Amino acid sequence: MKAIELKSYVSALALGSAMAVYAPAFAQQPAAPDPAAPVAATDDPPQGLDVIVVTASGRDKTQLNSSVSVTSVNASVISDFLPSSESELLRMIPGIQVAGTAGPGGNANIAVRGLPVATGGSPFVQIQEDGLPTVLFGDIQFGNNDYWTKFDATVASVEGVRGGSASTYASQAPGAVINYISHTGLQEGGFVQLSQGLGFKETKLDFRYGGPINDTTRFHVGGFVKNGRGPLKAGYDVSQSYQIKGNITKELDGGKGYLRVLFKTANTQEPNYTGSPAIATINGLSVKNVKAFPGFDGRKGSNYSIYNQSFQILNREGVLERVKMDGITTKANSLGAQFRYAFSDMVSVDNNMRWTQMSGGFASPFFNLSLASGVIGSVIARPGLEDAKVASIRYANGPKSGQVFTGRYVDNNVNVRTNIRDIGSFANDLTVSGKFDTQLGRVTARAGYFYMDQNIAMDWHVNKSLREVSGKNPAQLDLYDAAGNKLTQDGISGYNNNWGECCARDYDLSYTNTAPYIALDLDSEKFGLDGSVRFETINASGYAIAGGKEFLVTNNGVQIAAITANGNRETLDYSRTYTSWSFGGLYKLNTDTSLFARTSKGGRFNGDRQTVSGKINPDGSLNQAGRTASVDFVNQSELGVKNRGAVFDGRYTLEVTLLKGDFKQSTYELTATRCPGGAGGCIIDARYESSGAEFYSTYRRGPLSLIGNATYSNAKRSGADSNGKPTPFSRAPGIADLSYTLSANYDFGERASLGISTTGQTAAIDDAGREYPGAAIFNAIAKVTLVNNLELSLQAYNLFDTFDLRGNGGVADTSVIPNVISGNPALGRTVTAAIRYTF
């Protein structure tokens, strides 16, 4: 660590400690919470540092007395913040670094603590619902974990644990565990809310209700129904979704425990945002003055088009089939059960189980800006025939159908359809705890066993496609030779071959993860110590088939090159074991302040991304390269302070954590996104390291409440040169030095409230080292109670319509001024009105 970094860390910790020491001067001290007390029996749980940590922990300590970095955000704060997607919701948790521009369907790259995403998804972050993962791996190809969990009215809070015990209380989550915690009907009541987009077509109905059935039984049920074209004003209804979740809880033996049955049914169809063009000034590696592209403003325009709302694929049976361009779709039915019982003051047992039947799909028009001049004169390979040379481009459909296309730019990215036939699972987590009083303090010993069987069955269809560049119903473009012969059909020039032979895939895989784990915790009046270890075993089975050689398919008289998954068949039959550990200590400076330190080493298994990459032997075992790449280990160290107190007649909480981490990764990249030379399919070997700090604070004074978080990262990456030797560390792409979220709310009596919030980040670089400017998005919400229990609200996202290019893209044209680039901007100004009836 550099001296200046160390000096900054020490200064920050000293500042936090000083605030902690002097906080008692502002107010009387409340009684310290009893660490052994059960979770409070209310649907309005304690706030701030008094919240009992239930995620990736022993479930018996408050945040103040836990030696982990943990943040709990309740549902009302999330709703007022108005996140535009599931990934932007995660920006409310410090340490989680995500652009937030993926859209409501998902497919975000979720980094944590400066440890970037080498390929896609969230390899080190596990998303849970009520304590169990929705999918075992966060970076399943075309099945990222943010597809399968949607924030709805049944969620009481979202809790995030970073580092530390995430490595040992959960599998495949050395970076963080994010847990969506449900209401359970402890208090009778609920609401129904109807929301409507203003200036765009989108209607959503949210509802929840719960309460006691009798003295020992209670229930809760809720969800949403959503329909519309979305704020990017797609040409057709790209959002058609519903989700219903519920639970019934039976208290046992006078409060010694409970049995809870949970269920969910969901059928969602939501778009993922694939990017847009923009204009900017590029000077060397500096990209400045980023603005919307004329004719395609990514804040308001969509690549989803009525002229491409269905398209043809060559399916796994080798037959042309017309499919919908319906974004990211999910179908899920799950049934779970939670059992908790204290056999005595010393011994208790917890078991959490869930069976899930789940499938879905990924259909999207990826965006890539290219010069049309590069298409004219290009050659289209046709196996068995003479190559064809492109002489002209014409509109394939739309109002200009048949006319010659004369535009400067085209969108030449893929039309992709992935059928997720089965991504169901069964998971169970059993823990037995024993508590013992000693002279040093209370000792808690825990032993647990986690089991999860995860299916992953998919077939991929990645068509070569061409369309015009427009933010409003872009038309498909067809290619012709000099004799006027048509070379493409409906803008498609190839079936399943856009990324080469690797990626016309068909596979049916199963991964079984078993993990016994043990933890020991000492809690005394002034300090606490804890250690835990987890022993992971992964058994992989199934098969994967990649594409074979190209051949011609005739569609309406046009012969088009195609690939099907009839190449080499790879059989999986191997096991991999590894160990994760974590050790931490806490010092209770006083009843309002604690200092903690933690170090950990956590592993995550590289699942389906190992397939079709040369890492599996013919007998199904891993070769040496496969064994090396099969597990990525994350090393982390952290030092933090937690404090609460009073200042200026209000109450505050403060959490500051200094951190350092590193990991190595060898993974297969299937697209041209990060492959040298733009080739689809390559192995990426890299090392990553990061140092930084997390900040989270709340303040409440009468009707005013403030919440803020920030994450600073000094993230670096070392790749490999042409000889396979590591390159020097340099700034990691896609990670801003500073990202932050701030929120303020003011209640005007009982009839009205006003809230404002902002989320932003500083500059970040792309893979080529070009730096893109950061920006901040401001949001606002106003609520008015018309009559008792009837509330009208008006929400505005991106109030000032800022063009914030968070998802950095590439450079398309530097021959014009301003230069033309591409990327993923945040949504523009989006206003929604809602009426809610509470009962």
Side-chain angles (χ1 to χ4, degrees):
M1 183 183 295
K2 295 179 181 179
I4 188 170
E5 293 176 357
L6 180 60
K7 182 178 179 180
S8 299
Y9 283 11
V10 173
S11 298
L13 186 60
L15 176 61
S17 301
M19 293 181 67
V21 171
Y22 287 104
F26 293 107
Q28 296 179 349
Q29 305 307 311
D34 180 2
V39 178
T42 174
D43 265 9
D44 294 318
Q47 300 299 308
L49 298 178
D50 285 332
V51 173
I52 300 291
V53 181
V54 299
T55 302
S57 69
R59 298 167 55 93
D60 62 356
K61 289 185 178 181
T62 64
Q63 291 188 23
L64 182 65
N65 290 323
S66 298
S67 59
V68 294
S69 299
V70 56
T71 302
S72 181
V73 186
N74 68 42
S76 62
V77 172
I78 294 171
S79 297
D80 289 350
F81 181 69
L82 191 65
S84 63
S85 64
E86 214 67 39
S87 62
E88 190 167 62
L89 183 158
L90 304 183
R91 291 175 69 95
M92 303 181 71
I93 300 173
I96 303 300
Q97 295 157 307
V98 57
T101 58
N107 205 41
N109 294 335
I110 306 171
V112 58
R113 292 185 157 184
L115 303 176
V117 177
T119 51
S122 51
F124 305 117
V125 179
Q126 183 181 103
I127 295 179
Q128 297 182 347
E129 291 182 2
D130 294 309
L132 287 175
T134 50
V135 288
L136 182 60
F137 308 114
D139 63 341
I140 295 173
Q141 297 171 110
F142 292 112
N144 293 359
N145 53 13
D146 63 341
Y147 295 13
W148 314 104
T149 298
K150 305 295 183 186
F151 176 80
D152 67 8
T154 67
V155 177
S157 63
V158 177
E159 191 168 83
V161 173
R162 288 90 62 199
S165 59
S167 301
T168 52
Y169 278 89
S171 293
Q172 317 309 326
V177 174
I178 299 170
N179 189 15
Y180 287 56
I181 302 170
S182 296
H183 287 286
T184 61
L186 284 162
Q187 291 182 335
E188 184 173 5
F191 69 82
V192 58
Q193 175 175 296
L194 182 66
S195 306
Q196 179 65 54
L198 300 183
F200 66 98
K201 182 185 176 185
E202 184 171 281
T203 303
K204 187 180 182 186
L205 180 71
D206 295 278
F207 64 95
R208 76 172 185 89
Y209 182 71
I213 298 174
N214 54 43
D215 290 344
T216 61
T217 310
R218 63 184 187 272
F219 79 99
H220 191 273
V221 65
F224 67 86
V225 179
K226 182 182 177 186
N227 181 267
R229 301 186 176 187
L232 292 188
K233 303 176 183 177
Y236 56 99
D237 288 352
V238 292
S239 292
Q240 299 183 57
S241 303
Y242 72 81
Q243 176 170 289
I244 299 174
K245 290 170 58 184
N247 55 72
I248 299 175
T249 304
K250 173 68 175 179
E251 297 287 346
L252 302 175
D253 200 10
K256 290 185 176 180
Y258 61 80
L259 174 64
R260 178 174 298 138
V261 177
L262 307 95
F263 71 89
K264 180 176 84 168
T265 182
N267 190 324
T268 70
Q269 174 189 317
E270 298 292 340
N272 72 302
Y273 301 149
T274 58
S276 69
I279 57 176
T281 302
I282 302 175
N283 184 8
L285 294 177
S286 177
V287 181
K288 296 182 178 179
N289 304 317
V290 180
K291 297 179 182 178
F293 183 84
F296 194 164
D297 185 341
R299 296 170 297 180
K300 303 173 175 65
S302 173
N303 212 29
Y304 287 86
S305 168
I306 59 173
Y307 306 119
N308 193 30
Q309 61 183 304
S310 70
F311 63 105
Q312 288 183 306
I313 63 170
L314 190 67
N315 65 23
R316 62 197 300 253
E317 285 77 33
V319 177
L320 287 174
E321 175 188 355
R322 184 162 292 277
V323 296
K324 294 181 178 180
M325 183 68 79
D326 49 9
I328 296 176
T329 57
T330 73
K331 294 182 180 180
N333 293 293
S334 69
L335 183 65
Q338 296 176 344
F339 174 76
R340 188 178 194 186
Y341 193 80
F343 290 95
S344 68
D345 292 340
M346 296 175 59
V347 179
S348 63
V349 62
D350 286 271
N351 193 75
N352 196 1
M353 178 277 291
R354 183 169 62 232
W355 166 85
T356 303
Q357 181 185 62
M358 198 155 65
S359 61
F362 183 101
S364 178
F366 284 10
F367 181 81
N368 184 66
L369 193 65
S370 240
L371 287 166
S373 59
V375 177
I376 302 296
S378 65
V379 173
I380 295 179
R382 299 183 296 176
L385 297 177
E386 184 180 353
D387 291 347
K389 189 173 183 179
V390 178
S392 64
I393 306 173
R394 301 181 190 176
Y395 288 92
N397 48 28
K400 298 181 180 179
S401 180
Q403 298 180 28
V404 174
F405 174 79
T406 59
R408 181 178 178 86
Y409 302 105
V410 293
D411 173 4
N412 67 348
N413 214 332
V414 60
N415 256 14
V416 59
R417 169 76 186 192
T418 298
N419 297 318
I420 307 173
R421 304 190 303 271
D422 182 10
I423 199 164
S425 62
F426 177 81
N428 193 87
D429 197 1
L430 171 66
T431 306
V432 178
S433 302
K435 299 179 185 294
F436 313 93
D437 289 324
T438 69
Q439 291 182 344
L440 293 176
R442 170 160 288 191
V443 175
T444 302
R446 295 181 179 88
Y449 186 81
F450 172 79
Y451 172 93
M452 187 166 181
D453 185 67
Q454 177 71 66
N455 298 324
I456 308 175
M458 299 188 193
D459 49 280
W460 298 2
H461 308 278
V462 286
N463 290 355
K464 291 182 179 179
S465 181
L466 193 71
R467 65 187 65 87
E468 67 175 329
V469 176
S470 171
K472 186 176 182 181
N473 290 320
Q476 294 289 107
L477 300 174
D478 274 331
L479 305 177
Y480 292 78
D481 65 13
N485 297 311
K486 192 177 182 183
L487 305 176
T488 61
Q489 182 64 37
D490 297 327
I492 304 299
S493 59
Y495 296 111
N496 305 335
N497 62 350
N498 191 77
W499 295 330
E501 293 181 16
C502 76
C503 302
R505 294 195 184 186
D506 189 332
Y507 51 90
D508 193 337
L509 308 170
S510 178
Y511 296 92
T512 301
N513 189 165
T514 57
Y517 56 94
I518 55 175
L520 197 63
D521 180 286
L522 170 64
D523 187 40
S524 72
E525 182 180 355
K526 295 297 294 183
F527 69 91
L529 295 172
D530 69 90
S532 51
V533 62
R534 189 178 187 93
F535 307 96
E536 302 277 7
T537 299
I538 305 287
N539 292 297
S541 61
Y543 70 87
I545 308 173
K549 298 299 181 181
E550 281 191 323
F551 59 94
L552 290 177
V553 171
T554 301
N555 186 346
N556 198 25
V558 181
Q559 293 185 305
I560 299 173
I563 297 177
T564 58
N566 60 359
N568 293 331
R569 182 185 180 101
E570 190 173 73
T571 300
L572 280 66
D573 183 18
Y574 65 85
S575 296
R576 186 72 165 88
T577 60
Y578 58 95
T579 302
S580 302
W581 56 265
S582 179
F583 179 77
L586 178 86
Y587 180 71
K588 304 171 187 178
L589 194 62
N590 55 49
T591 56
D592 281 333
T593 307
S594 61
L595 306 174
F596 75 93
R598 179 166 293 277
T599 184
S600 62
K601 180 177 182 178
R604 58 84 57 180
F605 181 79
N606 196 340
D608 63 311
R609 291 181 181 267
Q610 286 252 90
T611 58
V612 195
S613 60
K615 297 175 183 176
I616 299 175
N617 294 317
D619 64 356
S621 63
L622 290 173
N623 57 30
Q624 186 56 48
R627 290 192 62 82
T628 300
S630 60
V631 180
D632 301 318
F633 288 102
V634 176
N635 302 294
Q636 294 186 82
S637 300
E638 51 195 304
L639 182 66
V641 58
K642 304 177 185 182
N643 171 245
R644 64 185 177 191
V647 63
F648 304 126
D649 298 324
R651 301 290 302 177
Y652 74 88
T653 67
L654 173 67
E655 303 165 60
V656 179
T657 305
L658 311 179
L659 50 96
K660 185 176 177 64
D662 65 79
F663 76 96
K664 290 190 292 186
Q665 187 173 47
S666 178
T667 188
Y668 188 76
E669 168 61 37
L670 60 96
T671 74
T673 306
R674 295 178 181 234
C675 290
C682 66
I683 295 176
I684 295 178
D685 292 299
R687 297 178 299 157
Y688 299 85
E689 64 180 24
S690 177
S691 55
E694 297 170 351
F695 171 88
Y696 186 81
S697 184
T698 67
Y699 180 75
R700 180 85 187 196
R701 179 187 178 188
L704 174 66
S705 61
L706 304 172
I707 299 175
N709 79 69
T711 303
Y712 165 75
S713 292
N714 180 19
K716 297 180 180 180
R717 179 183 70 173
S718 167
D721 61 20
S722 58
N723 297 318
K725 296 182 178 180
T727 60
F729 277 98
S730 60
R731 185 178 178 186
I735 300 291
D737 288 342
L738 179 68
S739 57
Y740 53 89
T741 299
L742 302 171
S743 177
N745 192 82
Y746 192 88
D747 295 324
F748 297 91
E750 298 181 356
R751 292 291 182 180
S753 67
L754 177 65
I756 57 173
S757 62
T758 181
T759 175
Q761 62 187 45
T762 57
I765 66 170
D766 63 13
D767 286 288
R770 291 181 289 259
E771 185 176 71
Y772 296 73
I777 295 296
F778 289 86
N779 315 311
I781 179 170
K783 299 179 182 179
V784 178
T785 301
L786 303 176
V787 296
N788 288 342
N789 300 330
L790 187 64
E791 178 187 86
L792 181 66
S793 64
L794 192 66
Q795 294 178 301
Y797 176 86
N798 196 356
L799 188 63
F800 303 115
D801 206 25
T802 302
F803 194 92
D804 183 7
L805 195 66
R806 291 180 184 165
N808 302 329
V811 174
D813 190 0
T814 58
S815 66
V816 295
I817 302 297
N819 306 137
V820 178
I821 64 173
S822 62
N824 278 57
L827 288 178
R829 184 185 298 113
T830 305
V831 182
T832 304
I835 186 167
R836 173 185 293 204
Y837 179 70
T838 303
F839 45 85

